[in-house]
Amino acid sequence: MTTDLSGAGPAYLTTAEVAEYLRLKPRKVYDLVRQGQIPCTRATGKLLFPRQSIDLWLMSHLEGDQPGSRPVPVVLAGSQDPLLEWAVRESGAGLATLCHGSGDGVRRLLAGEAMVAGLHLVDEASGRYNRPEALGLSGLRDLVMVRWATRRQGLLLAPDNPQGIHRLADLARPGVRLAHRQAGAGAQRLLGWLLRRAGMAAERLAFTAHPSLSEDDLALAIRQGEADAGLGVEAAARRQGLAFVALHDEAFDLALRRRSYFEPPLQRLLAFARESRFRERAEALGGYDVGELGRVTYNA
């Protein structure tokens, strides 16, 4: 499913329009705003209601769509992302981070061990990203996926690129040691997909003995000379002062249950991501396109 949940219409509704849409009196809408129960924003003192968020809010109150008896831990699981990590801290969202790869995030979301999971898993058949049916998430009848960013993935290399690595095929040269992520990590799946597209056998590559459990661990392994190259995001390369060869742009999404979208931690995070300071940080980190941030890419 995609974002247009209610047909064509303006992206933002006025108080009168949202009252008509929900078949409520304007006074009731003002009461819901005052109680903090309905999503809205203020522009020059005027209340505006994001149409997409109103649809999600409405669906989260459907009969039979009640939360389970066990509270969901306020945990962000899944893949590590430098921009997301920074935004969680700066926004005061209150989310604890437990980022051990996209595959682990899917498992924790299904098990009710995380409120939200950051995912960047490519589907090998189609090349599309974060398809719920391909991830085993299609059974969640209240699943919502929200775009966080489009990220630039590529080869992280030692400063000044002493090995002269300029393309994927160079990884197969004798003496090139390749850092890698754990099975189930989005970067590891992407590496396999890129190698197959290039007609390269993974067996030809000299992988390090142990996987790196995060983007930062992989970048640090290269910085410290334990590996010559590895696949990761441009922001991780910049943080460690590494050389970088761009290979692929990918979608990084947040997966969560519908009701979690309206919990204070998620709302604080998304509100912060609309500030100019957030956009400036994304540009400074490098390799991010946040033009679609907040767009609902799937709504069960």
Side-chain angles (χ1 to χ4, degrees):
M1 294 187 185
T2 54
T3 59
D4 194 1
L5 308 178
S6 57
Y12 290 88
L13 304 175
T14 64
T15 302
E17 289 169 339
V18 82
E20 181 180 1
Y21 184 52
L22 298 175
R23 293 180 170 82
L24 298 174
K25 293 183 178 179
R27 178 173 294 180
K28 179 60 177 177
V29 174
Y30 285 120
D31 287 341
L32 291 171
V33 170
R34 188 167 55 252
Q35 296 163 15
Q37 294 189 26
I38 191 170
C40 68
T41 187
R42 289 185 183 272
T44 62
K46 181 179 180 181
L47 285 173
L48 292 174
F49 300 82
R51 185 184 183 90
Q52 200 175 90
S53 295
I54 292 297
D55 284 318
L56 285 172
W57 178 82
L58 190 62
M59 294 184 76
S60 75
H61 288 74
L62 291 174
E63 292 292 334
D65 193 22
Q66 301 301 315
S69 57
R70 187 178 67 159
V72 178
V74 187
V75 169
L76 166 66
S79 181
Q80 180 195 22
D81 176 69
L83 180 61
L84 179 57
E85 194 176 63
W86 176 82
V88 166
R89 292 196 307 269
E90 292 295 313
S91 67
L95 284 162
T97 55
L98 191 62
C99 298
H100 297 308
S102 294
D104 184 72
V106 168
R107 183 187 67 77
R108 291 184 186 277
L109 187 66
L110 285 169
E113 298 174 358
M115 177 175 282
V116 58
L119 308 178
H120 63 115
L121 288 166
V122 65
D123 177 60
E124 296 188 17
S126 65
R128 293 168 54 195
Y129 270 84
N130 306 323
R131 296 175 58 201
E133 65 275 17
L135 303 179
L137 289 173
S138 56
L140 291 182
R141 63 187 176 88
D142 57 346
L143 176 68
V144 170
M145 301 194 77
V146 179
R147 178 60 41 83
W148 177 251
T150 299
R151 312 190 309 176
R152 190 170 301 127
Q153 284 269 10
L155 297 178
L156 279 62
L157 307 165
D160 299 322
N161 190 11
Q163 293 272 18
I165 297 170
H166 299 290
R167 56 197 181 109
L168 200 65
D170 293 337
L171 299 179
R173 292 203 319 241
V176 174
R177 299 161 300 163
L178 185 64
H180 60 106
R181 297 292 306 282
Q182 71 273 30
Q188 193 65 8
R189 182 182 291 195
L190 176 61
L191 177 61
W193 184 69
L194 291 172
L195 289 173
R196 282 185 283 277
R197 287 183 66 196
M200 295 175 61
E203 293 75 16
R204 295 175 54 199
L205 306 181
F207 290 101
T208 54
H210 303 289
S212 300
L213 299 182
S214 71
E215 293 273 359
D216 284 338
D217 286 347
L218 186 141
L220 193 59
I222 297 167
R223 180 72 188 182
Q224 294 179 340
E226 298 168 11
D228 301 301
L231 185 72
V233 294
E234 183 175 349
R238 288 198 185 190
R239 287 214 291 197
Q240 291 296 334
L242 301 176
F244 181 78
V245 174
L247 294 178
H248 181 74
D249 288 344
E250 66 171 13
F252 190 101
D253 296 327
L254 303 178
L256 59 154
R257 291 178 178 270
R258 190 176 296 122
R259 285 183 175 273
S260 295
Y261 181 88
F262 299 99
E263 292 295 326
L266 263 296
Q267 287 298 303
R268 281 196 291 268
L269 177 63
L270 293 173
F272 176 74
R274 291 192 288 268
E275 296 182 7
S276 59
R277 186 160 70 99
F278 172 85
R279 294 191 296 273
E280 291 165 2
R281 181 69 174 189
E283 185 175 350
L285 284 172
Y288 286 100
D289 180 348
V290 294
E292 288 192 317
L293 193 152
R295 181 171 73 86
V296 177
T297 61
Y298 181 89
N299 182 42

